Every structure is written in structure tokens, then in C-alpha cells.
Amino acid sequence: MTTLFLLVPVALPVLGALVYLVFGWRPATAWVSAASAAGVLAAAILIAVEVAAGPRTAIAGLLRVDALSAFMLIVIGAVALLATAATPAHLRAEIDAGRATARTAARHSVLVQLFLAAMALAVSAADLGVLWIAVEATTIVTAFLVGQRRTRSAVEAAWKYVVICSTGIALALLGTILLNYAAQHTPATAGLDWAGLVASAHTLDPGVTRIAVALLVIGFGTKAGLAPLHAWLPDAHSQAPAPVSALMSGVLLSVAFYAVLRVKVIADAALGTGFTRILLVIMALASLLLAASLLLAQRDYKRMLAYSSIEHMGLLALAAAVGGPLAMAAALLHVLGHGLAKGVLFLSAGRILQTTGTSHIERVRGLAARQPLLAGCVGFGVLALIGLPPFSVFASELGIARAGFASGLGPVTAAALLVVLVIAAALIAHTSRMLLGSPPEGPGAATAVPRLPVTAGTALVAGLVVCAAIGVSAGPLSALLHLAAEILTGTR
């Protein structure tokens, strides 16, 4: 039974993809994606209960799920359920407007299911090699989703995504090879198995390991949207369909950062905490400063959300640099809170684009008067994103700040918080212009707009409610976060 549970998060989306391949996208199959995501979430919760007593393995040790993996599976399932619950209404609107066909919707659904399977495999992998393959698979699948609209901008964004992320993944592959070389020259010959690498980390050659870790952190950091190889993210997230943007920003970036965290555990045991701390601090501050500088004068609300994702990945990098149980638990809580809030905002942005025909901030006015429920979701989503209570991002950012000031990184933490305040002000200023005021002339000026579909509205509200509930009390997640933080600090 345990083996079956471990296979479900990967196998269920693959089964969903087969359903769409055979039957296509139609009313009878429109909700298969949501059912698949709900199954992944349910299996993840059961796995989290199971691994509380210790890690579980399956398929001759190829899959190994511990508390950290179980938490990431919950994040994948929760954000995927949010995105796929809003997908049928999004696709119907695209088909009605003539921008998509039933065949496009079927292809979209197949790729999304394979995307979920690849991400679930990445966080369930027992060794670095399988993780690398799974992350590379997400690049291949999502490239087609980014270019789904087949406009010039979408195709350019897809190619940019493939080129830059392939560069990063190539660096990660070189790092994987070097780390494997170092592991083969230890008494235990650990190979690429996570548990074996951690156990034999103290015997790894420091010189080779240092180069390998730098390549792995920069390589997987590219997929996580961290500077300096971040340039693919704004284009890809702004051109992808809204449900795909929600999944890429809310889950894919975090899955890539999960790989960085796993590598950091090995690096800290082999080299001490100083090497990865310096590397992550540099990437964190660079990402935060970049996001702030480009958000101040941003004119496109989808790109605004994309640059915000770079900011939050920078905060996760800062938390990883700080280290310690509090910082790691806060980082994981931040992953979930950011995923839910960003999922709500990208889905809302997709609806705004469908009803106004523009992604320019200046051309969207009076949204609160014309679409109050949608405007409310956008407004509260931004408040959740900038870390206002009671949303969980407030609790996670507070935890990161407390850990940062207590760890000797006070000046770095203070600088990061100052940049975060600037970003928050920019987000509020841009969003308030969209929600308030009178509609402008031209695109977005129509007063009669379609109402937000019930299913989509329910998904958006539910995402915000869960984000707020977790901020008030993590509840059963607290024990899982504690166990996962122990894994990341090498105490378990």
C-alpha cells in the first residue's frame, strides 16, 4: 500500500494525460485535470502521514519520499488543484473567442498532466540523476505550453525559455557529473543517491565538490528564476496561458528551488555553511534588486506578476543562505503561501485579459466597479503577496527576517527587507490603478463584461481563504514543516 501511495502522484497525472489523448477535451473530460490534481493532493496528504515515522522508498529505491518531499507534493497538489479547477472556464472562454479549439484544449490538458507528473517525479526522486531528468522534462513540456498561442511573442518567449533554461540545466548536468565523480572516489561510493551523498559528504573531495555545487546551484537556480540567468521568466510567464503561468510561478520555480535546497544539505556537510551562504546571498540580493528596479516602471500586469516571482525566489534564496530550523521552516511555508497567492493572481490576470483584451496596466481601469469579485480577488491576492496579515506570506517573511537577524546576516536581511518594501509599494500602486477609477477609452472601456464563472470564482476565493488560514495557523502542517526543516539542516 505504501508503494502505491508513492506512485500515485506521478502515475495519476500520466493516466489523466492518456484520457485526454484518447478522448480529447469535451464536457465529459473537462474536469479530468482537476480530478487528477485532487488525487495528487489527497495522496500527498496520506504520504505525509506515512513518512512522519521515516522515509519510504519504491521501485527498487528510485523513489524516496521523506517529509520534505511530502510537503512539496502537497504544494504541487494544492496549486495544481487551484489552477486546474479554473482551467475549464478559461479554455471555454478561449474557444468561444476563437483563440483556441477543442484540439488546442486537449493538447493543453495533455501537456499540463505531463507537467504535473514530471514535477511530482522531481520531488520524489531518490537521487540527483532522476531529479535532473525530471526537471529537464518540465522544460520540454512547458515550452509547448508557453508557445501555445502561436503568436510571435509567444514563440519568442518559448524559444528564450528553452535556450536559457537548457543552458542552466546543462550547467546542472555538469555539476551532477562532477559530484558523481567525487562520490565514486569515497569509501562508500555513494553515487547520486541523496541519502548516500549526505552520509558520505564529509569524505567528498572539497575542490571537486565546490565546483559541482556552484554549477548545481546556478543551474537549478536558473530554472528557479534566480539572477543572473533569470531573463526567460518574465517573457514565459507573461505569454503562457493563465493556468500554466499559475503552475509555473506557483510550483515549477519552487520545485527547481527544492533541488537547490537538496544540494545545499550536501554542500553544508562537505564544505561547511560558508560557501553556499555566500553564493545564495549574492543570488538573493541580485534577484531582489532586479525585481525592484523593473517593477517600479512596469506597464504590463502579467510581467509585473512575473517579476514578483523573481522577488519571492530571492527571498527563498536568502532564507536558504541564513539556514537553521526557523529559516528553513519559514522558507517552506513561503513556498506554499506564494504558490497559492500567485496562482490566484495569474488566474485573475488571465480573466482580466480575456474580458478587457489588454495586458497593459494603464488600459485597465475601474475593475472594482465592473467586476467586483474579480477585483476583490486581485486586491486581496496582492495583499497576500506583499505579506500583509493574516496571509501566510506575512508569517513566512517574519520567520525569515527573525532568522536572518539572529544568524549574523542582519545587514543583508535589512537590505533585503528594504527592497521588499519598495516592491510592495510598486505592486500596490500598479494594482490600485487597475482596480480604481473610471474605464479608459478604447480597449477595456466596455461596461458590459462577462461575469466571472462560478467555478473560477470559487477556485480563486478558496485559494485566498486557504492562504489566510495557513497564515493564522499552520495546523497539521506544523509537524511536517518541523520534520522537513530538520532534513534541510542535516539534523534528521
Side-chain angles (χ1 to χ4, degrees):
M1 186 62 70
T2 300
T3 301
L4 178 62
F5 283 154
L6 296 185
L7 292 176
V8 166
V10 179
L12 196 57
V14 172
L15 181 61
L18 291 175
V19 170
Y20 283 112
L21 277 174
V22 175
F23 299 103
W25 192 87
R26 57 187 69 186
T29 61
W31 292 95
V32 169
S33 285
S36 171
V40 171
L41 178 58
I45 294 172
L46 292 174
I47 290 171
V49 174
E50 186 73 18
V51 300
R56 298 290 185 268
T57 60
I59 316 182
L62 287 177
L63 299 182
R64 182 179 184 273
V65 179
D66 54 20
L68 177 58
S69 303
F71 180 81
M72 291 303 301
L73 286 173
I74 289 175
V75 173
I76 293 171
V79 180
L81 180 58
L82 172 65
T84 54
T87 296
H90 175 84
L91 292 176
R92 278 195 295 268
E94 292 293 292
I95 292 172
D96 292 343
R99 293 186 293 266
T101 63
R103 184 177 179 180
T104 304
R107 184 169 59 248
H108 169 99
S109 300
V110 169
L111 292 172
V112 165
Q113 290 298 293
L114 294 177
F115 182 25
L116 294 180
M119 290 191 293
L121 176 61
V123 300
S124 303
D127 68 72
L128 181 57
V130 177
L131 170 63
W132 184 91
I133 292 171
V135 172
E136 174 67 359
T138 64
T139 303
I140 297 171
V141 171
T142 49
F144 293 101
L145 289 168
V146 170
Q148 179 175 301
R149 293 167 55 206
R150 298 189 179 181
T151 63
R152 180 174 179 176
S153 298
V155 173
E156 287 180 355
W159 274 110
K160 191 174 184 179
Y161 171 58
V162 169
V163 170
I164 296 178
C165 284
S166 295
T167 301
I169 292 299
L171 293 176
L173 176 60
L174 182 56
T176 301
I177 294 171
L178 288 175
L179 191 60
N180 182 62
Y181 173 82
Q184 293 301 325
H185 289 77
T186 62
T189 60
L192 294 175
D193 179 75
W194 291 121
L197 283 170
V198 173
S200 61
H202 63 284
T203 62
L204 295 173
D205 179 83
V208 176
T209 304
R210 190 173 289 108
I211 298 173
V213 167
L215 291 170
L216 286 165
V217 170
I218 294 173
F220 287 123
T222 299
K223 197 64 183 284
L226 290 169
L229 297 177
H230 62 278
W232 65 269
L233 192 150
D235 292 330
H237 287 203
S238 63
Q239 292 300 322
V244 177
S245 297
L247 286 171
M248 292 180 71
S249 181
V251 187
L252 178 59
L253 302 183
S254 299
V255 169
F257 196 77
Y258 160 88
V260 174
L261 292 176
R262 288 286 194 187
V263 171
K264 180 180 180 295
V265 176
I266 300 167
D268 288 350
L271 307 171
T273 59
F275 180 72
T276 51
R277 170 173 283 192
I278 293 172
L279 186 59
L280 288 169
V281 163
I282 293 171
M283 297 176 76
L285 291 180
S287 300
L288 289 168
L289 289 170
L290 174 88
S293 62
L294 294 173
L295 274 171
L296 287 173
Q298 189 53 237
R299 299 178 180 180
D300 185 301
Y301 53 80
K302 289 195 75 177
R303 292 179 71 86
M304 174 185 75
L305 296 177
Y307 283 117
S308 171
S309 296
I310 296 177
E311 172 215 356
H312 285 275
M313 290 303 106
L315 285 174
L316 290 180
L318 176 62
V322 170
L326 176 58
M328 291 296 95
L332 294 176
L333 181 62
H334 197 85
V335 163
L336 180 56
H338 170 259
L340 292 170
K342 194 56 68 64
V344 168
L345 285 170
F346 266 116
L347 293 171
S348 300
R351 184 62 183 173
I352 294 172
L353 181 60
Q354 287 179 333
T355 57
T356 65
T358 180
S359 62
H360 292 284
I361 295 172
E362 296 298 327
R363 296 178 184 174
V364 180
R365 290 289 186 275
L367 196 63
R370 292 180 293 155
Q371 302 185 70
L373 178 57
L374 180 60
C377 291
V378 172
F380 282 108
V382 169
L383 294 180
L385 198 61
I386 65 175
L388 261 65
F391 297 104
S392 62
V393 175
F394 169 77
S396 59
E397 288 185 351
L398 180 62
I400 294 171
R402 287 179 55 196
F405 285 115
S407 68
L409 289 177
V412 173
T413 304
L417 292 178
L418 181 60
V419 177
V420 167
L421 288 176
V422 173
I423 292 173
L427 289 174
I428 292 174
H430 294 321
T431 306
S432 61
R433 286 202 295 270
M434 295 171 60
L435 301 184
L436 307 176
S438 301
E441 298 294 330
T447 55
V449 293
R451 298 183 58 149
L452 183 66
V454 174
T455 53
T458 302
L460 298 180
V461 173
L464 291 172
V465 169
V466 173
C467 190
I470 296 172
V472 173
S473 174
L477 284 175
S478 298
L480 187 63
L481 287 169
H482 178 72
L483 293 174
E486 288 184 344
I487 293 171
L488 291 174
T489 54
T491 58
R492 183 178 177 85

